[in-house]
Amino acid sequence: MLFKSLNGISKKVNFETAVKKGLADDGGLYFPEHIRPLKKDFIENLENYSNIDIALTVLEQFIGDSINKIDLRKILSNTIDFDFPLVDLGKNIYSLELFHGPTLAFKDVGARFMANCLAYFNKNSSKLNTVLVATSGDTGAAVANGFYKVKGTNVIILYPKNKVSEIQERQLTTNGNNITALRVKGSFDDCQKIVKNAFLDKELNEKFNLTSANSINIARWLPQSLYYFYAVKNLKKDNLVFSIPSGNFGNICAGLIAMKLGLPIKHFVASTNLNDTIPRYFESQVLSPKPTIQTISNAMDVSIPSNFIRIQEMFENFQDLSSVMSSYSFNDKQTLEAVKKIYNNNKYILDPHGAVGYLGLKKHLESCSAQKTGVFLETAHPIKFANDIEKSIKVKIKFPERINGILSKKKKYYNIVSYNNFKTKIMSMDFY
Ligand SMILES: *Cc1c(COP(=O)(O)O)cnc(C)c1O
């Protein structure tokens, strides 16, 4: 299978090339040329397969000859060695916990998969690679962890100053080794713009052999479709509604891929915070981004969702799209009220992103006449947002052992104020 560029100019490439390039030369995102539905028998018997076997079956058509089966199995075993539990919150509502990876973020799966793929593709190359990644909080940590000490690869992370939580900043800035953190004056969208400019900058590309690790990279993006398979495997139900707390819309887009592959999913809800470009699009059919607004669900503080173009690619027209997808936005006050309510009713602690997902799910289920089962994605561990959450529920969140010690590590970053400043800084770095 080949990947086409959504700008339609660059030629089609295989998985390996698409992963190494990140973005096509014409600036377009890569998208699978076609999606072949999986066998009914497989979908109906998911519980008979291990998570690794499911991953192999789901991903093999996209990977094609780029990685042989034996090595792909190894890569997947390195990627998926933690659980994706479903927590029953009653009233046909489930939380799908995606934060059991090493950095407590759902992005661990995509980041680890991508790191393993790149290490595999570059194992015989003497050329140094540079992974350039903009983060609104969680991506950077997952990417840093996935690529930590990967031979031949340096990672440069750009994150917005004062817009990530304390734990997130520590996760970004305390790695050392092949990981460099750049603190950008501005929003996540400003970080993303620098990354996009860098990819179009020939001089930088030549020197650094740049690759992206945002969900624009297919190796980061596609494995996210596995969460939906694991949820269906554990729930064993049809007629499911999934609500996805969305920022760059990579996760929900991977869910739509899972549906196209044959999973029995009825509806998707894209739940956002006040950065509501897509909820407004569903009302007006016009994409009109506003400046980014800072919220407590900061990983979703995105006003220009990169992956929405992939979603549009999957549907003939707006009617088709809106028959399987809705989108709602919620403010911080509603988010914290949901955190409080779920804690009081269930003794279950949501993080702000999961809470937005819960709110979107509830709103959709209330608008349905038929009884449906709803799953919202709990995309981060609440400890990352302890300040806001503890204030709201008046209970101390237990510190997960996996990140013990992080608060005493020393932060190291460089300050960046513009693209030119960024370019000068990295051109002068001596790790190359
Ligand atoms: C990245 C992130 C999201 C948004 O995912 P997208 O794929 O960008 O829509 C939601 N929640 C958390 C905690 C995240 O880190």
Side-chain angles (χ1 to χ4, degrees):
M1 117 113 59
L2 295 177
F3 292 84
K4 61 183 177 187
S5 161
L6 290 182
N7 280 1
I9 300 166
S10 297
K11 65 176 200 296
K12 294 172 186 165
V13 298
N14 68 4
F15 180 78
E16 175 171 353
T17 306
V19 172
K20 284 181 174 167
K21 289 185 81 73
L23 210 57
D25 289 331
D26 61 9
L29 271 66
Y30 284 116
F31 194 80
E33 175 182 40
H34 44 72
I35 299 167
R36 192 181 66 238
L38 301 171
K39 292 203 181 79
K40 255 207 157 74
D41 185 59
F42 169 73
I43 303 273
E44 284 167 3
N45 294 291
L46 286 174
E47 70 266 30
N48 298 334
Y49 295 86
S50 70
N51 281 357
I52 303 290
D53 284 331
I54 291 175
L56 266 172
T57 306
V58 170
L59 295 176
E60 68 186 351
Q61 67 173 295
F62 302 110
I63 290 160
D65 299 335
S66 290
I67 306 174
N68 69 59
K69 277 236 173 84
I70 295 169
D71 288 322
L72 181 57
R73 180 175 285 278
K74 270 190 223 146
I75 289 175
L76 288 167
S77 315
N78 287 341
T79 303
I80 300 162
D81 60 356
F82 49 90
D83 289 334
F84 307 87
L86 268 168
V87 179
D88 185 349
L89 295 180
K91 299 188 182 147
N92 284 317
I93 289 185
Y94 295 81
S95 164
L96 177 61
E97 293 187 347
L98 302 180
F99 57 74
H100 293 266
T103 74
L104 315 177
F106 86 91
K107 296 185 172 83
D108 281 324
V109 166
R112 277 150 57 109
F113 183 70
M114 184 182 161
N116 275 276
C117 286
L118 272 183
Y120 176 83
F121 294 142
N122 294 326
K123 64 181 183 298
N124 297 321
S125 152
S126 55
K127 226 166 151 187
L128 208 55
N129 291 288
T130 305
V131 173
L132 191 60
V133 59
T135 184
S136 53
D138 274 7
T139 304
V143 169
N145 183 279
F147 281 91
Y148 184 63
K149 293 191 175 168
V150 167
K151 235 180 67 211
T153 305
N154 280 308
V155 177
I156 298 175
I157 301 167
L158 293 94
Y159 70 97
K161 182 178 174 180
N162 298 337
K163 293 188 172 69
V164 302
S165 78
E166 185 58 30
I167 290 181
Q168 287 176 324
E169 188 167 31
R170 300 266 171 184
Q171 287 181 321
L172 298 172
T173 56
T174 60
N175 295 285
N177 205 287
N178 59 333
I179 317 289
T180 303
L182 303 179
R183 190 175 78 164
V184 177
K185 191 167 168 234
S187 66
F188 167 67
D189 287 308
D190 294 318
C191 298
Q192 194 155 257
K193 257 182 239 154
I194 293 181
V195 169
K196 283 189 179 153
N197 282 335
F199 279 103
L200 300 173
D201 188 322
K202 281 221 159 57
E203 194 186 358
L204 275 192
N205 262 299
E206 262 161 36
K207 176 155 183 204
F208 293 101
N209 212 7
L210 292 181
T211 189
S212 85
N214 281 99
S215 50
I216 54 177
N217 193 298
I218 55 165
R220 256 282 320 275
W221 166 58
L222 281 172
Q224 301 180 3
S225 55
L226 298 173
Y227 311 136
Y228 302 84
F229 282 85
Y230 298 154
V232 171
K233 169 183 169 179
N234 292 330
L235 260 180
K236 304 184 195 77
K237 286 190 181 167
D238 290 349
N239 257 343
L240 293 173
V241 178
F242 276 89
S243 171
I244 297 94
S246 295
N248 238 338
F249 281 64
N251 201 0
I252 190 168
C253 185
L256 290 160
I257 296 269
M259 183 186 74
K260 296 262 172 187
L261 288 170
L263 269 195
I265 303 174
K266 259 264 153 352
H267 202 79
F268 288 86
V269 182
S271 304
T272 75
N273 57 32
L274 283 186
N275 295 287
D276 60 352
T277 306
I278 302 303
R280 284 184 291 110
Y281 171 80
F282 273 84
E283 284 180 0
S284 65
Q285 299 186 43
V286 181
L287 275 173
S288 62
K290 293 178 186 166
T292 314
I293 299 169
Q294 191 178 349
T295 75
I296 55 170
S297 46
N298 63 21
M300 311 197 295
D301 291 353
V302 181
S303 60
I304 307 170
S306 307
N307 286 290
F308 195 64
I309 185 164
R310 283 182 167 140
I311 294 179
Q312 289 175 305
E313 174 67 21
M314 292 161 84
F315 297 91
E316 287 288 314
N317 52 45
F318 180 75
Q319 272 62 39
D320 278 3
L321 170 62
S322 55
S323 68
V324 287
M325 185 174 156
S326 319
S327 190
Y328 307 116
S329 130
F330 302 92
N331 63 30
D332 284 352
K333 184 162 168 271
Q334 293 169 304
T335 305
L336 287 174
E337 276 165 10
V339 169
K340 213 179 202 165
K341 185 180 119 187
I342 292 289
Y343 182 73
N344 289 337
N345 292 346
N346 298 78
K347 293 285 164 288
Y348 184 72
I349 306 179
L350 292 171
D351 97 294
H353 305 77
V356 168
Y358 165 79
L359 285 167
L361 181 62
K362 238 176 106 50
K363 184 156 174 172
H364 176 77
L365 291 179
E366 280 164 7
S367 75
C368 296
S369 44
Q371 178 86 297
K372 289 194 183 129
T373 302
V375 178
F376 68 90
L377 274 46
E378 185 32 296
T379 45
H381 192 291
I383 195 73
K384 289 187 175 175
F385 309 94
N387 275 352
D388 292 314
I389 302 295
E390 288 175 353
K391 234 184 276 158
S392 158
I393 59 174
K394 315 247 175 334
V395 170
K396 202 122 188 87
I397 304 170
K398 200 167 159 270
F399 207 85
E401 262 172 41
R402 262 165 305 164
I403 57 165
N404 265 346
I406 193 149
L407 292 177
S408 56
K409 288 192 189 159
K410 198 169 156 26
K411 297 185 212 173
K412 186 163 186 241
Y413 52 79
Y414 300 100
N415 286 306
I416 298 296
V417 296
S418 66
Y419 182 73
N420 284 340
N421 179 212
F422 158 81
K423 185 169 174 180
T424 314
K425 179 78 224 163
I426 76 164
M427 288 300 267
S428 73
M429 279 184 175
D430 55 9
F431 42 62
Y432 293 92

